[in-house]
Amino acid sequence: MESLPSIAGELAGKHVFVTGGSGFMGKVLVEKLLRSCPEVECIYLLLRPKRGVSAQDRVEQIVKTPLFGPLLSERPSATAKLRAVAGDCSQLRLGLSADDEALLVDNVSYVFHAAATVRFDDPLQSAILLNTRGTREVVELCKRMPRLQVLQYVSTTYCFTKEPVLKERAYRAHLDWRTMIRIAETEDKGVLDAVTHKVLDYQPNTYTLTKALAENVINDARNDIPVMIYRPAVVISSLQEPIPGWLDNMNGPFGIWIGACKGVLRFSWGDPKVALSYTPVDWAIRAMIILAVAKATRAPALETNAEEVDVVHLEGSGYDRSTYGLQRDTLPSVLKYAPNAIRYPRYHIGRCYVYYWLGTMLSQVSYGLAIDCILRLSGQKPRLTGMYRKIFYTNQALAYFMMNEFPIETQKANKVHNALRHQDKSSFGLDITDPSSGLHYDRETCMRETIQGAFQYVLKETGTTEKNLKRLQRLYVLEVVMNILWCFVMYFTVGRFLIRKIYYLLM
């Protein structure tokens, strides 16, 4: 069944507006549009001038990343279609100048709203202003666009975690988005910080709450403009295109995997039987584009319902139930691809908080304190204690998601995949079981490429597998020696004292 037009053909000559273009998904979206839809007329990126760097200069910085390397080697002038518009989603009217606003209103047909703060611990006020009010401002801008074909809002599958199974439909948040925006605009930050826990209710953090409120903003605009909500699962590194393993952050599972490979993270609080719901970023971006086209062209595959906003989920992990326990067991096979380990890697994950806390204190914090003492004595700046503090608080923030599974419904994406023209499936296909999609997956390869990508593109560290293995061997020997010394120290300081006490009690 083919009901979608040619994806590249539909976007030919169109003007596209992207918020969050400097973010992880935004960069991949821009690259994919330029590479697979070469006739797109112009892509406007909403970018905030930063540290004296103009919005247009930030575009130049973005296209210099390795992500754009393959594209620029084939078509050096491809990025000429990118145009920066200075603005800020946390500001009223998106902080746009009158000229830039008029430019967008007069020309744009497709809008991808992906800008958001993804930090779990952001203050409630700033999270509302960016995630929720920013979405309202995008909607208000789109209402003035006569050429608008679709506004796609990028949400998350974790915004309504109380649902037994998250359906592909809109839900109402427990708070009114208009009221929360008004409070964020008028109340003092300290007041909002004080009531955050009560305001969250069942929501685990300010990120999920404000994304849920933003979904309500989109849903309430469904009768005024063509809108849709796209909920991908946790987005991980690219699997295949344009380069395997590309990522630009250490959020979510990346930080856990890299910390474990470095040897600095040894204990996590979570359920090894819980499966992580994730999607490689290249799959997620394919879905973004074809779903937007399906909505814009009113394709039957999307089953548009005038009474409800269109909501679509994407979960690449449906082909592999990758539990945290399986990830832990897979890590040893990919350690040789991780350069510059600090300690010999040993990673444990469990539900028992006491086990996690003791392991963290004895194996991580005590080690960090000892190393930092040595660094201080040698006149160097301590590093590990602060890092372990961040790791501890990060695990606390992630524990809710690592202890629970959140089943989701995923039907519409496959229907849209089946509606693709055959010639589009190699560039935009979503079904790994369909050979024409060109998608391939296995857990070990995915983790290996993610780890290699994190070290290469985020940490800027490289090393050969031979060099990495030699380092691991040295660290293993060092760990054995240190453990033996630790046993001697414990025996001569604590053990002998306890033995004497027990002896006198028994005599």
Side-chain angles (χ1 to χ4, degrees):
M1 177 188 71
E2 294 183 0
S3 64
L4 285 179
S6 163
I7 304 300
E10 164 59 23
L11 287 165
K14 300 294 174 63
H15 291 248
V16 178
F17 178 44
V18 178
T19 71
S22 62
F24 179 40
M25 292 183 69
K27 290 174 186 171
V28 184
L29 170 63
V30 169
E31 192 279 339
K32 179 67 173 176
L33 286 170
L34 292 174
R35 178 163 46 87
S36 298
C37 305
E39 299 303 317
V40 65
E41 183 66 24
C42 184
I43 301 175
Y44 302 98
L45 302 181
L46 181 70
L47 295 171
R48 183 176 69 251
K50 202 172 184 180
R51 300 187 187 95
V53 180
S54 69
Q56 190 59 44
D57 287 340
R58 290 192 65 195
V59 171
E60 299 303 319
Q61 292 176 349
I62 290 170
V63 300
K64 287 179 181 177
T65 60
L67 175 71
F68 288 83
L71 171 66
L72 292 176
S73 65
E74 294 178 8
R75 305 203 316 269
S77 62
T79 56
K81 295 177 182 287
L82 299 180
R83 176 165 177 173
V85 286
D88 185 345
C89 275
S90 66
Q91 301 298 314
L92 291 172
R93 301 183 76 90
L94 302 179
L96 292 167
S97 68
D99 289 343
D100 283 341
E101 184 175 317
L103 178 70
L104 296 174
V105 168
D106 292 341
N107 294 287
V108 169
S109 301
Y110 279 73
V111 177
F112 295 93
H113 178 36
T117 172
V118 297
R119 290 178 53 186
F120 290 171
D121 59 349
D122 250 6
L124 180 60
Q125 184 181 59
S126 57
I128 291 173
L129 294 179
L130 177 53
N131 291 353
T132 308
R133 191 180 72 174
T135 301
R136 184 197 69 183
E137 295 303 296
V138 171
V139 167
E140 292 303 316
L141 176 67
C142 289
K143 286 179 180 179
R144 301 193 294 275
M145 294 178 175
R147 300 174 185 267
L148 182 71
Q149 290 181 261
V150 62
L151 161 59
Q152 183 186 90
Y153 174 64
V154 182
S155 186
T156 172
T157 55
Y158 293 97
C159 54
F160 294 98
T161 54
K162 72 173 183 178
E163 298 299 323
V165 177
L166 190 69
K167 303 287 186 180
E168 291 181 293
R169 67 173 182 83
Y171 294 87
R172 297 306 300 185
H174 66 284
L175 299 168
D176 178 67
W177 62 266
R178 297 173 183 84
T179 302
M180 294 309 297
I181 290 175
R182 185 172 65 253
I183 291 173
E185 291 175 332
T186 57
E187 292 294 339
D188 182 73
K189 176 181 177 296
V191 173
L192 284 171
D193 289 344
V195 299
T196 294
H197 183 71
K198 187 173 182 179
V199 168
L200 288 177
D201 193 49
Y202 69 89
Q203 291 283 5
N205 52 60
T206 57
Y207 167 70
T208 59
L209 170 64
T210 53
K211 294 293 277 186
L213 293 171
E215 282 200 10
N216 289 173
V217 175
I218 296 294
N219 187 36
D220 290 348
R222 68 187 184 279
N223 295 323
D224 301 319
I225 52 175
V227 293
M228 69 172 300
I229 296 171
Y230 171 50
R231 294 183 187 139
V234 174
V235 181
I236 64 170
S237 64
S238 60
L239 194 63
Q240 291 166 238
E241 59 175 6
I243 48 178
W246 188 83
L247 71 162
D248 67 352
N249 65 81
M250 298 285 280
N251 297 330
F254 309 143
I256 295 174
W257 296 350
I258 302 310
C261 287
K262 278 280 193 180
V264 296
L265 177 63
R266 293 198 156 194
F267 287 85
S268 287
W269 186 29
D271 189 341
K273 296 180 181 178
V274 164
L276 172 68
S277 177
Y278 64 87
T279 300
V281 67
D282 41 348
W283 296 11
I285 297 308
R286 286 184 175 201
M288 278 183 73
I289 296 171
I290 66 171
L291 291 172
V293 169
K295 177 65 180 179
T297 58
R298 300 181 180 181
L302 201 54
E303 297 181 349
T304 301
N305 184 341
E307 299 299 319
E308 294 184 1
V309 65
D310 288 305
V311 180
V312 184
H313 297 163
L314 187 72
E315 180 190 32
S317 53
Y319 302 104
D320 168 44
R321 193 175 181 278
S322 183
T323 64
Y324 289 105
L326 285 174
Q327 293 172 32
R328 173 201 59 202
D329 297 339
T330 306
L331 274 173
S333 65
V334 299
L335 289 177
K336 60 185 176 182
Y337 302 104
N340 303 327
I342 296 174
R343 296 177 72 186
Y344 186 77
R346 297 183 189 278
Y347 179 61
H348 309 269
I349 181 171
R351 289 187 63 91
C352 178
Y353 185 78
V354 174
Y355 170 76
Y356 157 71
W357 189 87
L358 288 173
T360 298
M361 294 299 117
L362 296 176
S363 183
Q364 294 180 182
V365 176
S366 61
Y367 175 83
L369 288 170
I371 296 299
D372 280 353
C373 284
I374 295 172
L375 290 174
R376 283 182 183 276
L377 292 172
S378 61
Q380 299 182 56
K381 186 178 179 180
R383 293 178 294 176
L384 290 185
T385 305
M387 180 178 65
Y388 277 125
R389 186 183 298 112
K390 289 180 181 178
I391 289 174
F392 180 78
Y393 287 121
T394 299
N395 198 169
Q396 298 294 303
L398 291 174
Y400 176 79
F401 302 97
M402 296 177 68
M403 298 284 279
N404 301 283
E405 282 195 41
F406 306 96
I408 64 173
E409 179 183 78
T410 54
Q411 297 178 358
K412 294 183 181 179
N414 280 339
K415 290 180 180 179
V416 175
H417 165 86
N418 292 332
L420 281 170
R421 295 187 175 197
H422 181 75
Q423 56 267 38
D424 276 340
K425 287 188 176 179
S426 61
S427 296
F428 295 100
L430 303 175
D431 188 353
I432 195 172
T433 63
D434 185 346
S436 62
S437 69
L439 297 174
H440 309 284
Y441 172 85
D442 72 80
R443 186 188 314 115
E444 184 173 328
T445 300
C446 179
M447 291 187 69
R448 183 188 72 231
E449 291 177 347
T450 296
I451 287 166
Q452 287 180 305
F455 279 101
Q456 181 177 352
Y457 304 123
V458 182
L459 299 179
K460 313 297 183 186
E461 297 179 9
T462 57
T464 63
T465 55
E466 182 181 359
K467 182 180 177 181
N468 296 340
L469 285 171
K470 287 182 178 179
R471 185 181 182 90
L472 288 173
Q473 290 169 354
R474 291 195 298 269
L475 289 173
Y476 178 76
V477 173
L478 178 62
E479 172 132 322
V480 171
V481 172
M482 292 297 292
N483 286 341
I484 293 172
L485 290 174
W486 179 252
C487 289
F488 273 109
V489 169
M490 292 299 293
Y491 172 73
F492 285 106
T493 56
V494 180
R496 293 173 66 185
F497 173 77
L498 290 176
I499 290 171
R500 287 198 193 99
K501 284 290 185 183
I502 294 171
Y503 175 78
Y504 289 131
L505 286 172
L506 294 176
M507 292 301 292

